[in-house]
Amino acid sequence: MKKNIAVVYGGDSSEYVVSVNSSKNVFQSIDPELFQPWAVEMKGADWKLVVDGEPVADINKQDFSVHYQNEHIRFDYAYITIHGTPGEDGILQGYFDLLKIPYSTCGVQSSALTFNKYYCSNYLRNFDLAMAKSVRLTKGDVIDEDVLVEELGLPVFVKPNAGGSSFGITKVKTKSDLKVAIEAAWKESNEALVEEFIEGLEITSGLVKLKNESFLFPVTEVIPKNEFFDFEAKYTKGATLEITPARISESLTETCQQLSSRIYDLCNCKGIVRIDYILKDGVFYFLEVNTTPGMTATSFIPQQIEAMGMQLKDIISKIIKDQVC
């Protein structure tokens, strides 16, 4: 009998729409010869089984099952495509751990660590990784523009400490714009990061490690037509030049892949992960770890897998079989 695979999407952050699109591509990439995929939408306390785009039944949260067409369906595995809370910060992972249902992403501790950019960066500083200096401001803190500029210089990036898809991110060039940018970040997260600007080439590196094999994907060079890789640049066709494999030397490519592999292990990651960097003067400056990276048809990970000569379906099948077969 085929295993029932729940493709879980939605969530409670601004990345809801991105999650919906990621889930569609993942759903289509689950091999129907091997598995039975089901779409499960979560939004707040409203969890639904969705068939052909329409909600058809409520999910029983006590055991993550559903009654549909006179059948009681128990899900054997959760492929999590929620970007942001509760799918990327460890909350949903804890729920599945309690029910002993395997899932596709990092565990509770790893998800919570990597979702908090400030904690993750400061943890990784212990291992001599290059990265920008940053200051964390909690909602309600006094904003002292003079101190921030003295410590970090200008321009700076202001971003939510917990969040993704570049919501709430501003590149600030003048001291007078800092307050507005920090308050915009606070709308997405209770904490904002003000981060030193490092000028260089943006590089993103995907990988997955399974029990018996690992895949270090070709890295991607990101050249936004906007001033930086904001939400519009990420999700508007033609707004960014994305080149896979990146136009860097084989030596630098291998350095990046091995650095990503090291960070993956240091953060105890699982499933497909994407790690972002700025490359400046031959050094990769760490930006962040994405533990539920975008999986739309035009997202980086599917591009990288295709450039490697594989299909997303192949990788997803390997990930699921690594735990449930």
Side-chain angles (χ1 to χ4, degrees):
M1 181 180 289
K2 295 178 187 176
K3 300 289 187 180
N4 288 312
I5 311 300
V7 179
V8 183
Y9 70 94
D12 306 318
S13 77
S14 299
E15 295 184 89
Y16 172 85
V17 174
V18 183
S19 174
V20 171
N21 291 329
S22 285
S23 73
K24 290 176 181 177
N25 198 39
V26 169
F27 188 93
Q28 292 168 359
S29 299
I30 291 179
D31 191 342
E33 298 291 317
L34 301 174
F35 311 108
Q36 177 59 59
W38 300 93
V40 174
E41 182 181 59
M42 296 182 177
K43 196 160 181 62
D46 192 24
W47 297 13
K48 301 283 189 183
L49 180 70
V50 176
V51 176
D52 296 328
E54 296 295 328
V56 295
D58 292 327
I59 300 296
N60 183 343
K61 299 184 186 73
Q62 290 188 330
D63 62 0
F64 197 58
S65 66
V66 67
H67 281 282
Y68 175 61
Q69 292 186 337
N70 298 317
E71 183 183 358
H72 185 64
I73 300 166
R74 289 186 175 276
F75 299 111
D76 301 295
Y77 185 87
Y79 202 104
I80 300 173
T81 61
I82 293 178
H83 311 305
T85 190
E88 198 166 5
D89 55 6
I91 294 173
L92 192 55
Q93 287 79 1
Y95 167 77
F96 287 132
D97 283 344
L98 285 170
L99 295 178
K100 295 182 169 47
I101 296 173
Y103 50 87
S104 59
T105 66
C106 300
V108 174
Q109 290 178 322
S110 179
S111 296
L113 170 68
T114 53
F115 191 66
N116 188 303
K117 296 179 177 70
Y118 185 78
Y119 289 165
C120 187
S121 294
N122 279 279
Y123 163 68
L124 289 172
R125 284 184 203 277
N126 293 303
F127 304 97
D128 297 322
L129 269 69
M131 64 186 74
K133 293 185 292 185
S134 65
V135 173
R136 179 183 58 166
L137 293 170
T138 302
K139 189 179 288 187
D141 281 352
V142 174
I143 300 170
D144 191 325
E145 293 96 332
D146 292 327
V147 170
L148 291 170
V149 171
E150 183 178 347
E151 185 169 346
L152 303 172
L154 284 171
V156 292
F157 277 112
V158 177
K159 60 182 71 172
N161 188 34
S165 290
S166 297
F167 283 107
I169 294 185
T170 310
K171 184 179 180 181
V172 177
K173 298 178 180 179
T174 62
K175 184 167 64 175
S176 59
D177 290 335
L178 268 171
K179 188 172 186 291
V180 171
I182 291 167
E183 289 172 348
W186 278 340
K187 290 178 182 178
E188 295 292 328
S189 171
N190 286 328
E191 296 175 335
L193 289 183
V194 185
E195 195 172 83
E196 174 190 19
F197 172 67
I198 297 174
E199 188 168 5
L201 180 65
E202 185 158 353
I203 296 287
T204 189
S205 168
L207 70 161
V208 61
K209 295 188 177 187
L210 307 174
K211 290 189 185 89
N212 297 315
E213 56 185 339
S214 297
F215 297 93
L216 307 180
F217 306 151
V219 303
T220 299
E221 173 183 350
V222 185
I223 306 173
K225 294 179 181 176
N226 292 0
E227 192 161 10
F228 69 97
F229 196 45
D230 58 9
F231 181 84
E232 181 186 358
K234 283 186 177 179
Y235 300 110
T236 304
K237 188 174 181 180
T240 300
L241 184 61
E242 301 168 1
I243 302 170
T244 309
R247 298 171 299 181
I248 58 178
S249 68
E250 287 185 21
S251 174
L252 279 174
T253 296
E254 186 175 351
T255 297
C256 182
Q257 290 174 320
Q258 292 306 315
L259 179 57
S260 297
S261 177
R262 184 175 177 227
I263 292 171
Y264 190 104
D265 293 342
L266 287 171
C267 293
N268 196 28
C269 291
K270 184 166 70 74
I272 294 177
V273 165
R274 201 191 79 232
I275 304 175
D276 299 338
Y277 305 94
I278 295 293
L279 173 61
K280 179 183 180 182
D281 299 331
V283 176
F284 289 95
Y285 288 80
F286 168 78
L287 291 178
E288 64 177 310
V289 178
N290 303 275
T291 59
T292 59
M295 298 291 279
T296 70
T298 58
S299 293
F300 293 123
I301 294 297
Q303 285 183 47
Q304 292 173 357
I305 290 171
E306 184 178 349
M308 194 170 55
M310 297 185 71
Q311 294 183 347
L312 182 59
K313 181 172 73 173
D314 302 327
I315 295 292
I316 287 178
S317 293
K318 286 176 179 291
I319 290 170
I320 297 172
K321 287 193 287 187
D322 198 51
Q323 296 181 72
V324 299
C325 295

